[in-house]
Amino acid sequence: MPGISREEVAHLARLARLELKDEELDHFAGQLDDIIGAVAAVSDVADEDVPPTSHPLPLTNVMRPDAVRPGLTPEQALSGAPAQEQQRFKVPQILGED
């Protein structure tokens, strides 16, 4: 597989709107080459019978299942409210709007 050229790195930098110096282009070309080589090595190891995974261990949801349960009635919910109006908590007006 041919290496990443400095022109390709310059093109990527332009697309990402990065301003790179000449020595940075050479440096990043080598680093990108190493990264692509590492990804290719992993791809070579992956076998057809191994499914792609996002985590090495199987994960299960630890939350309880959703179940409908009876809730409070409006009267129960408002029983401790200092003021109520039309089955709602009545609070002081804070914005000065109607």
Side-chain angles (χ1 to χ4, degrees):
M1 177 176 185
I4 300 291
S5 69
R6 68 190 304 279
E7 287 77 26
E8 290 171 315
V9 174
H11 179 69
L12 288 172
R14 274 192 306 279
L15 291 175
R17 296 184 180 176
L18 299 174
E19 188 175 327
L20 299 178
K21 299 174 186 164
D22 288 339
E23 60 270 6
E24 290 175 319
L25 290 173
D26 295 328
H27 180 72
F28 290 139
Q31 286 184 336
L32 285 172
D33 242 3
D34 293 342
I35 292 169
I36 291 173
V39 170
V42 171
S43 297
D44 291 342
V45 173
D47 201 344
E48 299 287 327
D49 61 339
V50 178
T53 58
S54 63
H55 197 275
L57 302 174
L59 298 176
T60 56
N61 193 350
V62 295
M63 299 190 306
R64 68 172 188 258
D66 285 338
V68 178
R69 298 183 303 179
L72 297 175
T73 64
E75 293 79 24
Q76 290 171 324
L78 295 169
S79 65
Q84 54 181 304
E85 183 178 291
Q86 297 177 354
Q87 290 191 338
R88 292 184 241 164
F89 294 100
K90 186 174 181 179
V91 296
Q93 186 174 356
I94 59 171
L95 297 177
E97 298 175 0
D98 289 330

